[in-house]
Amino acid sequence: VKKEMTEKNKKKVLTSTKINCSRCGKDYYVSFVADGHRNYFCEDCLKIMHHNRKKGVVKKIFDSQKKTTFFEFVCDVCDNFRKAIYDPQKINGQIYCKECLNQKKADDRKKTRKNTVIIKKSEKD
Ligand SMILES: [Zn+2]
Ligand SMILES: [Zn+2]
């Protein structure tokens, strides 16, 4: 058992290459051989970069199996990647998911209440 362990460890050392992440500068070990001719990024940065690429874009996708259209986007407020059946609303160029839009509406209502002299009116929406 001990011998096996050593051999496994040896293999791991041989196949992993230390890279320096071009984005955050962190040392990171990858299982492929780096050729040194391109930029390398650690897993965390790759995730962030992938996520950021999707930001600001609402992708309309047609599901031919379900015969429905859905939307893929990253909400600018909660920063979550969403798949939704609704086209998200854009306010000042920012994409809002349903939850954040509801939250914004609630916050706006609170703000207007604070800033205005109390005028009683019924709110229906
Ligand atoms: Zn990184
Ligand atoms: Zn959101």
Side-chain angles (χ1 to χ4, degrees):
V1 179
K2 218 178 182 184
K3 207 184 168 190
E4 256 174 50
M5 281 285 288
T6 330
E7 228 131 80
K8 251 186 200 170
N9 282 346
K10 226 191 231 170
K11 213 178 170 189
K12 211 179 172 188
V13 171
L14 280 173
T15 51
S16 65
T17 311
K18 189 174 137 183
I19 58 147
N20 191 257
C21 175
S22 302
R23 192 175 176 274
C24 67
K26 194 166 77 181
D27 286 339
Y28 183 67
Y29 291 89
V30 288
S31 53
F32 58 87
V33 181
D35 58 20
H37 293 298
R38 46 170 283 193
N39 289 336
Y40 290 99
F41 304 101
C42 70
E43 214 166 87
D44 291 343
C45 288
L46 280 176
K47 256 185 224 162
I48 296 165
M49 283 158 67
H50 187 67
H51 186 76
N52 285 347
R53 253 204 301 273
K54 289 186 168 176
K55 265 186 142 178
V57 184
V58 180
K59 209 170 156 192
K60 194 176 175 181
I61 295 156
F62 182 70
D63 190 327
S64 51
Q65 278 187 329
K66 288 177 186 170
K67 303 247 181 294
T68 50
T69 304
F70 64 96
F71 300 89
E72 272 187 2
F73 58 93
V74 175
C75 172
D76 280 315
V77 182
C78 63
D79 217 28
N80 283 321
F81 178 68
R82 303 239 177 207
K83 272 187 188 177
I85 53 159
Y86 59 89
D87 193 1
Q89 201 165 329
K90 280 188 189 175
I91 302 167
N92 298 327
Q94 292 219 299
I95 299 168
Y96 283 74
C97 71
K98 217 175 192 173
E99 285 82 0
C100 291
L101 188 68
N102 285 339
Q103 186 61 49
K104 185 185 158 42
K105 278 182 186 168
D107 286 351
D108 284 352
R109 265 199 289 268
K110 261 184 236 160
K111 264 182 225 159
T112 29
R113 238 174 251 155
K114 258 182 215 166
N115 297 339
T116 45
V117 193
I118 300 155
I119 301 162
K120 275 190 183 173
K121 64 166 193 172
S122 61
E123 279 182 353
K124 268 187 183 176
D125 48 18

